[in-house]
Amino acid sequence: MSATAVVVRDRRMWPLYAAGFTTAFGAHAVAANLGAFSDDAVKSLLTLGILLALYDGAEVLLKPVFGTIADRIGARPVLLAGLVGFAIASGLYAVADSPRWLWVARLGQGAAASAFSPAASALVARLNPAAKHGRAFGSYGFYKSIGYTLGPLLGGALVWLGGFRLLFVVMTVLAIAVAGWALFAVPAVPPLPRTRQTVIDLARRIADPVFLRPTAALAGATAALSVGVGFLPVTGAADGLGTIATGAAVSVLAATAAVIQPRAGRALDSGKLTTRTGITVGLLVTATGLACATLSGVAAVLGAALLIGAGTGLITPLGFAALAASTDPSRLGQTMGTAELGRELGDAGGPLLVAGVATATTLGYGYAVLAIILAAGPVIGLAVRTRPSRPN
């Protein structure tokens, strides 16, 4: 491949990476600061919980829908419309500067992200040959992880400087800039002819192990990531660690996940790693990290962060590459949207599971239960593959 072709491909991909950063930054920059000590912060825990659920709830309901629309009319229009919608939703609060409009803004942001997130994933697959899917999804995941990492930090700084109004102004400008960039740099990818699909056909596709296994792995990885970010600071504080140390642990987790993803993708493309082996190792490493979290001390917390980050960073690009490889190109949007739904369920279900177990017992048992669930998948898969067949 010539150097010119590589440059052209990179120019097409950068706006998609920026779109991944935008949805991650938009989700965490606001969520991490809704309960902050500012004039427009949310004071009620119930209100805080509902506001947090608005963004994710919209994504759970709408990502498969917008993914299917992307297959019908093309992913690029859905990408652009979603980014513009995100800018409009953010701008509403920036102009109104009223807590009442925060509800509308967060619901609108979640709905818009539900459009451009699966569309961006579908374009990552369509604009790259199958032999480069690992690298492409690894890079996309890297910039999305950067958004998750920087969201709370930059969002907190912006809220401290000018309240939520300044934060929403920045998100408005960011979404408009990425939309303009995508308009000029991302080529039109026409929708492909599709055969008619019934609800039963869709149910069969979702239940197919070829789809179910990587999606379940992605959901498990997201569950572990959310648990690590949310509960490792609690574990660290119980061990007597200060906020700097617990914050460093979360940063280690996010940074490790970001760094591992492109490397995992390159290993897949070069044939050094297969999706089955990589996902299996990723689940076991993540489960080991959760097991480390049941121990006490600084080393245990940092080790848990490092292993959870490494495991989830390994699973994410390989899971999406496996889905892209097994999907008819005419239904990439639907597949990516449904897979994103699985991740959102893991994002919400993981912390709920750990919190529920911890309420009845201790946080250590919560970590252990999730670790067992993640490790069970590879163990069951290995048992099924090695089980001798019955003679006729």
Side-chain angles (χ1 to χ4, degrees):
M1 180 181 295
S2 66
T4 301
V6 174
V7 172
V8 170
R9 179 168 290 117
D10 286 345
R11 287 176 178 171
R12 297 184 302 177
M13 295 301 296
W14 280 109
L16 303 180
Y17 299 156
F21 174 88
T22 300
T23 183
F25 178 82
H28 280 205
V30 177
N33 293 286
L34 281 173
F37 296 99
S38 63
D39 293 338
D40 44 4
V42 177
K43 306 303 182 184
S44 165
L45 288 178
L46 177 60
T47 302
L48 175 61
I50 297 174
L51 277 171
L52 289 172
L54 276 178
Y55 191 101
D56 292 331
E59 290 191 308
V60 167
L61 293 174
L62 296 177
K63 275 186 174 180
V65 175
F66 281 117
T68 302
I69 294 174
D71 290 332
R72 291 180 178 176
I73 68 174
R76 183 173 179 267
V78 177
L79 172 76
L80 296 174
L83 288 166
V84 171
F86 193 91
I88 292 173
S90 303
L92 284 174
Y93 182 83
V95 172
D97 193 22
S98 169
R100 289 178 296 179
W101 281 94
L102 188 58
W103 298 82
V104 178
R106 285 305 278 173
L107 183 61
Q109 284 181 327
S114 302
F116 70 80
S117 183
S121 298
L123 284 167
V124 169
R126 288 287 303 274
L127 294 177
N128 288 275
K132 299 294 183 182
H133 277 172
R135 185 189 299 259
F137 280 110
S139 298
Y140 180 73
F142 171 82
Y143 288 101
K144 205 166 185 178
S145 295
I146 294 298
Y148 286 132
T149 304
L150 294 182
L153 298 175
L154 293 181
L158 291 169
V159 170
W160 180 74
L161 288 171
F164 277 110
R165 186 175 198 176
L166 178 59
L167 174 58
F168 277 82
V169 167
V170 170
M171 287 192 292
T172 302
V173 174
L174 174 63
I176 291 174
V178 175
W181 192 4
L183 178 65
F184 289 102
V186 177
V189 181
L192 298 173
R194 302 185 308 155
T195 57
R196 182 176 177 272
Q197 176 182 256
T198 65
V199 175
I200 295 177
D201 294 332
L202 176 60
R204 286 173 179 167
R205 284 184 58 223
I206 294 175
D208 191 328
V210 174
F211 172 85
L212 199 57
R213 286 170 184 155
T215 301
L218 289 168
T222 307
L225 191 65
S226 296
V227 167
V229 171
F231 290 100
L232 282 181
V234 178
T235 299
D239 290 337
L241 303 180
T243 55
I244 295 177
T246 56
V250 173
S251 297
V252 166
L253 189 158
T256 303
V259 170
I260 289 293
Q261 290 192 57
R263 288 167 171 77
R266 287 195 293 269
L268 175 66
D269 292 340
S270 65
K272 297 177 181 178
L273 187 67
T274 64
T275 54
R276 181 186 291 272
T277 300
I279 289 175
T280 297
V281 172
L283 287 169
L284 293 176
V285 169
T286 304
T288 303
L290 290 165
C292 282
T294 64
L295 306 176
S296 59
V298 179
V301 172
L302 290 178
L306 185 65
L307 290 171
I308 293 172
T312 56
L314 189 58
I315 293 167
T316 302
L318 301 184
F320 278 113
L323 289 168
S326 63
T327 300
D328 185 330
S330 66
R331 299 197 183 277
L332 273 171
Q334 184 182 74
T335 295
M336 295 304 172
T338 308
E340 289 279 1
L341 167 61
R343 294 187 75 195
E344 294 297 335
L345 293 176
D347 193 16
L352 286 175
L353 172 66
V354 171
V357 174
T359 300
T361 55
T362 65
L363 184 53
Y365 282 105
Y367 290 135
V369 168
L370 183 56
I372 291 170
I373 292 173
L374 294 184
V379 171
I380 293 172
L382 181 62
V384 170
R385 289 197 300 274
T386 58
R387 184 175 57 190
S389 59
R390 293 183 179 179
N392 294 327

Short mmCIF file of all heavy atoms in Angstrom, two decimals, residues 144-182:
data_model
loop_
_atom_site.label_atom_id
_atom_site.label_comp_id
_atom_site.label_asym_id
_atom_site.label_seq_id
_atom_site.Cartn_x
_atom_site.Cartn_y
_atom_site.Cartn_z
N LYS A 144 -11.64 6.97 22.35
CA LYS A 144 -12.82 6.95 23.20
C LYS A 144 -12.41 6.86 24.67
O LYS A 144 -12.97 7.54 25.53
CB LYS A 144 -13.72 5.77 22.81
CG LYS A 144 -15.18 5.95 23.15
CD LYS A 144 -16.04 4.93 22.43
CE LYS A 144 -17.52 5.20 22.71
NZ LYS A 144 -18.39 4.27 21.99
N SER A 145 -11.38 6.05 24.94
CA SER A 145 -10.87 5.94 26.31
C SER A 145 -10.27 7.25 26.79
O SER A 145 -10.39 7.60 27.97
CB SER A 145 -9.82 4.82 26.39
OG SER A 145 -10.39 3.56 26.14
N ILE A 146 -9.63 7.97 25.88
CA ILE A 146 -9.10 9.28 26.23
C ILE A 146 -10.23 10.21 26.65
O ILE A 146 -10.12 11.00 27.59
CB ILE A 146 -8.31 9.89 25.06
CG1 ILE A 146 -7.05 9.06 24.79
CG2 ILE A 146 -7.92 11.33 25.36
CD1 ILE A 146 -6.08 9.00 25.93
N GLY A 147 -11.36 10.11 25.94
CA GLY A 147 -12.52 10.92 26.32
C GLY A 147 -13.05 10.58 27.68
O GLY A 147 -13.39 11.46 28.48
N TYR A 148 -13.10 9.27 28.00
CA TYR A 148 -13.54 8.85 29.33
C TYR A 148 -12.57 9.33 30.40
O TYR A 148 -12.97 9.67 31.52
CB TYR A 148 -13.64 7.32 29.38
CG TYR A 148 -14.83 6.75 28.64
CD1 TYR A 148 -14.66 5.68 27.76
CD2 TYR A 148 -16.11 7.26 28.83
CE1 TYR A 148 -15.75 5.14 27.08
CE2 TYR A 148 -17.19 6.73 28.15
CZ TYR A 148 -17.01 5.67 27.28
OH TYR A 148 -18.08 5.15 26.61
N THR A 149 -11.27 9.32 30.06
CA THR A 149 -10.25 9.70 31.04
C THR A 149 -10.25 11.20 31.29
O THR A 149 -10.20 11.66 32.44
CB THR A 149 -8.85 9.26 30.56
OG1 THR A 149 -8.86 7.86 30.31
CG2 THR A 149 -7.80 9.57 31.60
N LEU A 150 -10.29 11.98 30.22
CA LEU A 150 -10.20 13.44 30.35
C LEU A 150 -11.52 14.09 30.72
O LEU A 150 -11.54 15.22 31.21
CB LEU A 150 -9.68 14.04 29.05
CG LEU A 150 -8.24 13.68 28.65
CD1 LEU A 150 -7.86 14.41 27.37
CD2 LEU A 150 -7.26 14.04 29.76
N GLY A 151 -12.64 13.39 30.47
CA GLY A 151 -13.94 13.98 30.75
C GLY A 151 -14.08 14.51 32.16
O GLY A 151 -14.38 15.70 32.37
N PRO A 152 -13.87 13.68 33.18
CA PRO A 152 -14.00 14.19 34.56
C PRO A 152 -13.00 15.30 34.88
O PRO A 152 -13.34 16.24 35.60
CB PRO A 152 -13.74 12.94 35.41
CG PRO A 152 -14.09 11.80 34.51
CD PRO A 152 -13.67 12.22 33.15
N LEU A 153 -11.77 15.19 34.36
CA LEU A 153 -10.74 16.19 34.69
C LEU A 153 -11.03 17.53 34.02
O LEU A 153 -11.11 18.57 34.68
CB LEU A 153 -9.37 15.66 34.26
CG LEU A 153 -8.89 14.38 34.93
CD1 LEU A 153 -7.58 13.91 34.32
CD2 LEU A 153 -8.73 14.60 36.44
N LEU A 154 -11.19 17.51 32.69
CA LEU A 154 -11.47 18.76 31.98
C LEU A 154 -12.85 19.30 32.34
O LEU A 154 -13.04 20.52 32.46
CB LEU A 154 -11.36 18.53 30.47
CG LEU A 154 -9.97 18.20 29.93
CD1 LEU A 154 -10.02 18.03 28.42
CD2 LEU A 154 -8.96 19.27 30.31
N GLY A 155 -13.81 18.38 32.49
CA GLY A 155 -15.15 18.83 32.88
C GLY A 155 -15.14 19.51 34.23
O GLY A 155 -15.78 20.55 34.42
N GLY A 156 -14.40 18.93 35.18
CA GLY A 156 -14.30 19.56 36.50
C GLY A 156 -13.66 20.93 36.44
O GLY A 156 -14.09 21.87 37.12
N ALA A 157 -12.62 21.05 35.61
CA ALA A 157 -11.96 22.35 35.48
C ALA A 157 -12.89 23.39 34.87
O ALA A 157 -12.93 24.55 35.32
CB ALA A 157 -10.70 22.20 34.62
N LEU A 158 -13.67 22.98 33.86
CA LEU A 158 -14.59 23.92 33.22
C LEU A 158 -15.72 24.33 34.16
O LEU A 158 -16.12 25.51 34.20
CB LEU A 158 -15.16 23.29 31.94
CG LEU A 158 -14.17 23.10 30.79
CD1 LEU A 158 -14.77 22.24 29.70
CD2 LEU A 158 -13.73 24.45 30.22
N VAL A 159 -16.25 23.36 34.92
CA VAL A 159 -17.31 23.68 35.89
C VAL A 159 -16.76 24.62 36.97
O VAL A 159 -17.44 25.56 37.40
CB VAL A 159 -17.87 22.39 36.52
CG1 VAL A 159 -18.78 22.71 37.70
CG2 VAL A 159 -18.64 21.59 35.48
N TRP A 160 -15.52 24.41 37.39
CA TRP A 160 -14.92 25.28 38.40
C TRP A 160 -14.73 26.69 37.85
O TRP A 160 -14.93 27.69 38.57
CB TRP A 160 -13.56 24.70 38.81
CG TRP A 160 -12.85 25.52 39.84
CD1 TRP A 160 -13.12 25.64 41.17
CD2 TRP A 160 -11.71 26.38 39.61
NE1 TRP A 160 -12.25 26.49 41.78
CE2 TRP A 160 -11.37 26.96 40.85
CE3 TRP A 160 -10.97 26.69 38.48
CZ2 TRP A 160 -10.31 27.85 40.99
CZ3 TRP A 160 -9.90 27.58 38.60
CH2 TRP A 160 -9.59 28.15 39.85
N LEU A 161 -14.40 26.80 36.56
CA LEU A 161 -14.17 28.12 35.97
C LEU A 161 -15.46 28.87 35.66
O LEU A 161 -15.56 30.07 35.89
CB LEU A 161 -13.37 27.97 34.67
CG LEU A 161 -11.89 27.60 34.81
CD1 LEU A 161 -11.29 27.29 33.45
CD2 LEU A 161 -11.12 28.74 35.49
N GLY A 162 -16.46 28.16 35.14
CA GLY A 162 -17.66 28.88 34.70
C GLY A 162 -18.95 28.12 34.86
O GLY A 162 -19.95 28.46 34.21
N GLY A 163 -18.98 27.12 35.72
CA GLY A 163 -20.20 26.37 35.95
C GLY A 163 -20.55 25.46 34.78
O GLY A 163 -19.79 25.34 33.81
N PHE A 164 -21.72 24.84 34.85
CA PHE A 164 -22.13 23.93 33.79
C PHE A 164 -22.34 24.66 32.46
O PHE A 164 -22.23 24.06 31.39
CB PHE A 164 -23.41 23.19 34.18
CG PHE A 164 -23.17 22.00 35.05
CD1 PHE A 164 -23.53 22.00 36.39
CD2 PHE A 164 -22.56 20.88 34.53
CE1 PHE A 164 -23.30 20.91 37.19
CE2 PHE A 164 -22.33 19.77 35.33
CZ PHE A 164 -22.69 19.77 36.66
N ARG A 165 -22.65 25.95 32.52
CA ARG A 165 -22.87 26.68 31.28
C ARG A 165 -21.62 26.66 30.42
O ARG A 165 -21.69 26.41 29.20
CB ARG A 165 -23.27 28.13 31.59
CG ARG A 165 -23.64 28.91 30.34
CD ARG A 165 -24.14 30.30 30.68
NE ARG A 165 -24.88 30.88 29.58
CZ ARG A 165 -25.49 32.06 29.63
NH1 ARG A 165 -25.45 32.77 30.77
NH2 ARG A 165 -26.14 32.53 28.60
N LEU A 166 -20.45 26.89 31.01
CA LEU A 166 -19.20 26.86 30.25
C LEU A 166 -18.94 25.46 29.72
O LEU A 166 -18.49 25.30 28.56
CB LEU A 166 -18.04 27.33 31.13
CG LEU A 166 -16.66 27.30 30.47
CD1 LEU A 166 -16.64 28.19 29.23
CD2 LEU A 166 -15.58 27.73 31.46
N LEU A 167 -19.19 24.45 30.52
CA LEU A 167 -18.99 23.07 30.06
C LEU A 167 -19.86 22.76 28.85
O LEU A 167 -19.39 22.18 27.86
CB LEU A 167 -19.31 22.10 31.20
CG LEU A 167 -19.27 20.61 30.86
CD1 LEU A 167 -17.90 20.21 30.31
CD2 LEU A 167 -19.63 19.77 32.08
N PHE A 168 -21.12 23.17 28.88
CA PHE A 168 -22.01 22.90 27.76
C PHE A 168 -21.66 23.74 26.54
O PHE A 168 -21.87 23.31 25.40
CB PHE A 168 -23.47 23.11 28.18
CG PHE A 168 -24.07 21.92 28.87
CD1 PHE A 168 -23.85 21.70 30.22
CD2 PHE A 168 -24.83 21.00 28.17
CE1 PHE A 168 -24.39 20.59 30.86
CE2 PHE A 168 -25.38 19.89 28.80
CZ PHE A 168 -25.15 19.68 30.15
N VAL A 169 -21.13 24.93 26.75
CA VAL A 169 -20.64 25.72 25.62
C VAL A 169 -19.50 24.99 24.91
O VAL A 169 -19.45 24.89 23.68
CB VAL A 169 -20.16 27.12 26.09
CG1 VAL A 169 -19.36 27.83 24.99
CG2 VAL A 169 -21.35 27.98 26.48
N VAL A 170 -18.57 24.45 25.70
CA VAL A 170 -17.44 23.71 25.13
C VAL A 170 -17.93 22.48 24.38
O VAL A 170 -17.45 22.17 23.27
CB VAL A 170 -16.43 23.33 26.24
CG1 VAL A 170 -15.39 22.35 25.70
CG2 VAL A 170 -15.76 24.57 26.79
N MET A 171 -18.90 21.76 24.93
CA MET A 171 -19.42 20.57 24.25
C MET A 171 -20.14 20.96 22.96
O MET A 171 -20.10 20.21 21.97
CB MET A 171 -20.34 19.79 25.18
CG MET A 171 -19.60 19.05 26.29
SD MET A 171 -20.63 17.87 27.18
CE MET A 171 -21.75 19.00 28.01
N THR A 172 -20.82 22.10 22.97
CA THR A 172 -21.47 22.57 21.75
C THR A 172 -20.45 22.84 20.65
O THR A 172 -20.60 22.38 19.51
CB THR A 172 -22.27 23.86 22.03
OG1 THR A 172 -23.23 23.61 23.06
CG2 THR A 172 -22.98 24.35 20.78
N VAL A 173 -19.40 23.56 21.00
CA VAL A 173 -18.35 23.88 20.02
C VAL A 173 -17.66 22.61 19.54
O VAL A 173 -17.38 22.46 18.34
CB VAL A 173 -17.33 24.86 20.64
CG1 VAL A 173 -16.16 25.09 19.70
CG2 VAL A 173 -18.01 26.19 20.99
N LEU A 174 -17.39 21.68 20.46
CA LEU A 174 -16.73 20.43 20.10
C LEU A 174 -17.56 19.65 19.09
O LEU A 174 -17.04 19.17 18.07
CB LEU A 174 -16.50 19.59 21.36
CG LEU A 174 -15.93 18.18 21.16
CD1 LEU A 174 -14.55 18.23 20.54
CD2 LEU A 174 -15.89 17.42 22.49
N ALA A 175 -18.85 19.50 19.36
CA ALA A 175 -19.71 18.72 18.45
C ALA A 175 -19.82 19.39 17.09
O ALA A 175 -19.79 18.71 16.05
CB ALA A 175 -21.10 18.55 19.08
N ILE A 176 -19.93 20.72 17.05
CA ILE A 176 -20.00 21.43 15.77
C ILE A 176 -18.70 21.25 14.99
O ILE A 176 -18.70 21.01 13.77
CB ILE A 176 -20.29 22.92 16.00
CG1 ILE A 176 -21.72 23.11 16.53
CG2 ILE A 176 -20.11 23.72 14.70
CD1 ILE A 176 -22.05 24.54 16.93
N ALA A 177 -17.57 21.35 15.69
CA ALA A 177 -16.27 21.21 15.03
C ALA A 177 -16.10 19.81 14.45
O ALA A 177 -15.65 19.64 13.31
CB ALA A 177 -15.15 21.52 16.02
N VAL A 178 -16.49 18.79 15.20
CA VAL A 178 -16.35 17.41 14.72
C VAL A 178 -17.31 17.16 13.55
O VAL A 178 -16.95 16.49 12.58
CB VAL A 178 -16.60 16.41 15.86
CG1 VAL A 178 -16.57 14.98 15.34
CG2 VAL A 178 -15.55 16.58 16.95
N ALA A 179 -18.52 17.72 13.63
CA ALA A 179 -19.48 17.56 12.52
C ALA A 179 -18.95 18.20 11.24
O ALA A 179 -19.03 17.61 10.15
CB ALA A 179 -20.83 18.17 12.90
N GLY A 180 -18.39 19.41 11.37
CA GLY A 180 -17.81 20.06 10.19
C GLY A 180 -16.64 19.28 9.63
O GLY A 180 -16.49 19.15 8.40
N TRP A 181 -15.82 18.76 10.51
CA TRP A 181 -14.66 17.97 10.09
C TRP A 181 -15.13 16.72 9.34
O TRP A 181 -14.62 16.37 8.27
CB TRP A 181 -13.87 17.59 11.33
CG TRP A 181 -12.50 17.03 11.07
CD1 TRP A 181 -11.87 16.88 9.87
CD2 TRP A 181 -11.60 16.53 12.07
NE1 TRP A 181 -10.63 16.32 10.05
CE2 TRP A 181 -10.44 16.10 11.38
CE3 TRP A 181 -11.66 16.41 13.45
CZ2 TRP A 181 -9.34 15.55 12.06
CZ3 TRP A 181 -10.58 15.87 14.12
CH2 TRP A 181 -9.43 15.45 13.44
N ALA A 182 -16.12 16.02 9.91
CA ALA A 182 -16.64 14.81 9.28
C ALA A 182 -17.30 15.12 7.94
O ALA A 182 -17.21 14.32 6.99
CB ALA A 182 -17.64 14.12 10.22
#
